[in-house]
Structure formats: structure tokens, C-alpha cells
Amino acid sequence: MSSVSCGIVGLPNVGKSTLFNALLKKQQALAANYPFATIEPNVGIVPVPDERLLALANIVAGRDPSTPPPAGGFAQDDKVLPPIKNAMVEFVDIAGLVKGASQGAGLGNKFLSHIREVSVICHVVRAFTDENIIREGSQDPENDFATIQTELILADLQSIQNQEVRIKNPEQLKLLNRIKADLNNGIPVRNMNFTDEEAELVKNLFLLTAKEEMIVLNVNEDEYSPMNDEILIKKYADLLEIDRNKIVVICAKIESELSELTEDEQKAYLADLGFETSGLERLIRKAYSTLGLISFLTCGEKEVKAWTIERGTTAQYAAGEIHTDFIKKFIKAEVVSYDEFVKNNGWKGSREAGKARLEGKDYIVSDGDVIEFKIGA
């Protein structure tokens, strides 16, 4: 499928660039204490965390699946692990929006065009207090959230107005008027109901509020704990009137500190905080799942890889992710669930145990399926 991109948006100085830097584990974006520190969008490709890949690589190398990666690398007399290739998500650090951006305030039009190009919106909301960091248009989480939502809605209303001039079809104009009425009532396009035919037309309008969205609450260090996460998620889901499943709680400052540590130091730090995984890992997984994406896995001596597909993809079109020619040359897919593959120590054991099965082109691929495709000449 096309690349998965997540646009990090929000008012200036809410922690977007700090978060982006932590994602990349290095200072690729300027995290400065003044508005518009980031003017051109910074782009970074980060892996989707997937512990299953190391287990599969260990099996290929003749190791116990649970063998951790040694800090100093493998000894020369050990069998080398095959290359591990995670699914990837692209994060775009978009400069801070301000009130009036839809009318060109700040660098509004430019920023809005950058948002238009991403797959999912990652809206960072400032829920931390720090008198040393300037509040540029930021008041409190509820108002900040409303400001961004309003600007995106106003931008969509402008797009609808531009479309109305060109569209002559009465049914399409009727649809535009319906969308416009809902937008004027503060309803984003993603929350509107459409028939399949209407949804296809709406898709071609490239409206900002049609994009999936997740909310990142950037909180104080002393508020960052697993127990408090649930409290904060419930509080802000009610306050902002959004689905709690769309919220991720992070402390960008702590994530920035974690990014400077070794893997062992990170684990120790997270354990002290009570977390099993970092906020960034939860954020990356949330971006992936928000778009309805899953991974199927391929496993061999050349590489172990996670491939990104939309939930509901058939085996035939999943094969096309490896090579487009595989779609028309598809014969069968040999499939084993990840759990069975590990339990039976690879392809040979899975086949002997009767857990490897041949599936046709209409088989719906499940997350974690280990697949070997049979392709014709």
C-alpha cells in the first residue's frame, strides 16, 4: 500500500517538535521556545514496534524464539540473524497552527496544505504546565483543541465553496450542501454518514476533517504513570467529547530523555515509571491501528519482514505488496498463524503439525499471519 503518514499538528509550543525529535531519537527538528521554529515540515520514517520479528529471526537462525538481541552483537561463530524489516510509519512535523490559519494567519495556508498530504492527523494538545515555555495562542486543552478543530473545519468550508463553482451535477451539489451544513454545525467529515457511493465522492474532495485523527495529551512529568493515564484519558475524552480510544497520553519531555538512553537504560527508566512500553511505541501503534492497518509476516533466510495492509485485504492483494506482478500470478498462499509458527519452530514443524494451510485468493489475511506465496510464472 502507499506510505502511511502521520501529521503532527497543534498550536505552537505544545511539544510537537520535542515529540518528533524523540520519535527519530535525534535532533532532526528544531525544538525551540518560540513560535514557528519549524517552518518546513520535517519528515521522519520510524519502525512500527513488533517483537514478533525478532522471534521469527531467531527461529530462522536456529535459536530459541525468546532469545533477546545481545547488546554487543552476535559472536562470529554464531549463525547470523537474517535482516529484520519492520513495517514503517512516516511522521511529519508540521509547524504550529494559530487561530485564523484558515484565512492565512501565521503561515496558515502553507501548514494546511502540509496537513492535506498526510494519512492521519496526530493532534498534540498541551496538558502540561511550564511557565518557561511561551503559550502562543494556547489557553487550556479544551480551547486549544477547539481552535485547531475550528481551523480545519473552516479550511474545509473554503474547499467546499471552491468545489461548488466547478460541480454541475445536482446530486453532488446536494451532497456538498449537506456536508457544508454539518461542518457549520461543528461536525467533522469523519463523523458524517455516507453511502458507499457518496463516500467515494467525498474521498476525492480531499477534506481535512475527513482524515482520521488521534489526540496526544502532552502531560507533566509528575502526572505520567499507567494508573494516571486511564484517569486522564477518561477526563479528556469527556471534556473534548471524543472517543477515548483515539487518545494517547505521553510526556514529551520524558520521551526526549528516554531517546538519549541505551535500550537497557530505557527499560529500567520505564520500569521505574511503571510502563512496559514507551509512550512513543504506544503512539506509533495507535497511528497504525487508527488507519485500520495490520501486518502480515514473511520469514526466510534472506529477511524477516512485516508488510502493511489494510484490515480485510485478501491474500491475492496482500501478495501484491511484495510485488505488483504477484497479484495476477497468484496461485495459493501457505499460511500459519504467528503463534503456531513459533510454537512449532518454523515452517517445517508447522507443516508436520498440520498447522500450515493453503489458502486461495479470497482468503482474508489476519494480523500476524506468516505467509509464503505460491506464484506462477
Side-chain angles (χ1 to χ4, degrees), residues 5-6 11 35 71 108 136 148 159 173 182 186 191 200 204 211 235 254 261 267 288 294 325 329 355 357 363 375:
S5 58
C6 180
L11 292 169
E136 178 67 23
I148 297 296
S159 291
L173 284 172
D182 281 347
N191 292 345
E200 200 58 38
N204 293 326
K211 295 180 183 296
K235 172 185 174 182
I254 286 178
L261 303 177
K267 287 179 180 177
Y288 203 66
I294 61 172
D325 283 354
K329 296 179 179 179
K355 299 300 181 182
R357 60 192 191 278
Y363 168 72
I375 304 299

Side-chain angles (χ1 to χ4, degrees), residues 127 217-234 236 244 247-252 254-255 258 269-279 282:
L217 288 176
N218 188 10
V219 302
N220 294 312
E221 292 171 273
D222 58 3
E223 292 183 293
Y224 199 41
S225 71
M227 185 179 296
N228 209 35
D229 270 13
E230 289 304 308
I231 296 170
L232 289 167
I233 287 171
K234 184 180 186 310
Y236 284 102
R244 59 177 291 127
I247 300 175
V248 180
V249 178
I250 65 151
C251 174
I254 286 178
E255 297 298 329
L258 281 168
Y269 193 169
L270 287 168
D272 286 343
L273 294 171
F275 289 107
E276 291 184 8
T277 59
S278 70
R282 298 194 299 278

Side-chain angles (χ1 to χ4, degrees), residues 236-251:
Y236 284 102
D238 293 341
L239 183 68
L240 306 179
E241 299 181 346
I242 55 175
D243 183 349
R244 59 177 291 127
N245 293 318
K246 292 188 174 184
I247 300 175
V248 180
V249 178
I250 65 151
C251 174

Side-chain angles (χ1 to χ4, degrees), residues 17-317:
S17 292
T18 301
L19 172 63
F20 181 79
N21 289 333
L23 277 163
L24 296 189
K25 298 187 179 177
K26 56 184 174 180
Q27 296 291 312
Q28 283 196 354
L30 175 61
N33 179 26
Y34 53 88
F36 310 127
T38 309
I39 296 176
E40 292 301 328
N42 293 281
V43 179
I45 310 293
V46 295
V48 178
D50 195 335
E51 63 280 354
R52 298 174 300 192
L53 295 175
L54 177 59
L56 296 184
N58 278 326
I59 288 172
V60 173
R63 302 173 184 278
D64 184 287
S66 62
T67 306
F74 293 101
Q76 288 297 311
D77 58 349
D78 286 334
K79 185 174 181 181
V80 177
L81 288 179
I84 294 174
K85 297 183 179 179
N86 295 63
M88 307 300 283
V89 174
E90 177 183 275
F91 279 88
V92 183
D93 179 26
I94 297 170
L97 287 169
V98 294
K99 188 173 182 179
S102 59
Q103 303 300 317
L107 297 175
N109 292 330
K110 196 170 190 178
F111 300 163
L112 290 167
S113 71
H114 293 151
I115 296 171
R116 209 175 296 280
E117 295 168 5
V118 302
S119 313
V120 60
I121 294 171
C122 173
H123 183 176
V124 181
V125 175
R126 177 171 175 163
F128 67 88
T129 54
D130 188 335
E131 293 180 358
N132 295 316
I133 297 180
I134 298 166
R135 281 186 176 273
E136 178 67 23
S138 173
Q139 299 177 43
D140 56 64
E142 188 174 10
N143 279 296
D144 294 359
F145 176 78
T147 295
I148 297 296
Q149 297 303 309
T150 298
E151 292 306 320
L152 297 180
I153 284 174
L154 288 172
D156 279 352
L157 284 168
Q158 183 62 54
S159 291
I160 294 289
Q161 188 175 323
N162 294 340
Q163 294 281 350
E164 284 178 320
V165 178
R166 294 192 291 269
I167 292 177
K168 306 299 181 186
N169 183 296
E171 288 302 311
Q172 290 182 14
L173 284 172
K174 185 178 176 182
L175 175 62
L176 288 183
N177 285 327
R178 200 174 93 215
I179 295 170
K180 188 162 61 173
D182 281 347
L183 285 170
N184 277 314
N185 286 323
I187 302 171
V189 176
R190 77 180 73 86
N191 292 345
M192 299 178 192
N193 296 316
F194 301 108
T195 64
D196 290 344
E197 185 179 353
E198 288 173 339
E200 200 58 38
L201 289 170
V202 171
K203 185 178 178 182
N204 293 326
L205 296 175
F206 303 105
L207 299 172
L208 300 179
T209 66
K211 295 180 183 296
E212 290 298 330
E213 181 183 51
M214 53 186 185
I215 308 303
V216 177
L217 288 176
N218 188 10
V219 302
N220 294 312
E221 292 171 273
D222 58 3
E223 292 183 293
Y224 199 41
S225 71
M227 185 179 296
N228 209 35
D229 270 13
E230 289 304 308
I231 296 170
L232 289 167
I233 287 171
K234 184 180 186 310
K235 172 185 174 182
Y236 284 102
D238 293 341
L239 183 68
L240 306 179
E241 299 181 346
I242 55 175
D243 183 349
R244 59 177 291 127
N245 293 318
K246 292 188 174 184
I247 300 175
V248 180
V249 178
I250 65 151
C251 174
K253 189 173 181 181
I254 286 178
E255 297 298 329
S256 181
E257 292 170 359
L258 281 168
S259 70
E260 302 299 323
L261 303 177
T262 66
E263 190 172 336
D264 287 342
E265 289 170 336
Q266 286 180 29
K267 287 179 180 177
Y269 193 169
L270 287 168
D272 286 343
L273 294 171
F275 289 107
E276 291 184 8
T277 59
S278 70
L280 295 183
E281 288 184 42
R282 298 194 299 278
L283 171 60
I284 295 165
R285 288 193 173 107
K286 180 71 72 174
Y288 203 66
S289 64
T290 296
L291 287 168
L293 304 176
I294 61 172
S295 296
F296 72 87
L297 313 172
T298 54
C299 179
E301 292 187 359
K302 288 186 177 180
E303 68 175 17
V304 170
K305 184 168 180 175
W307 301 83
T308 299
I309 55 172
E310 293 181 1
R311 190 176 299 278
T313 298
T314 63
Q316 181 181 20
Y317 283 92

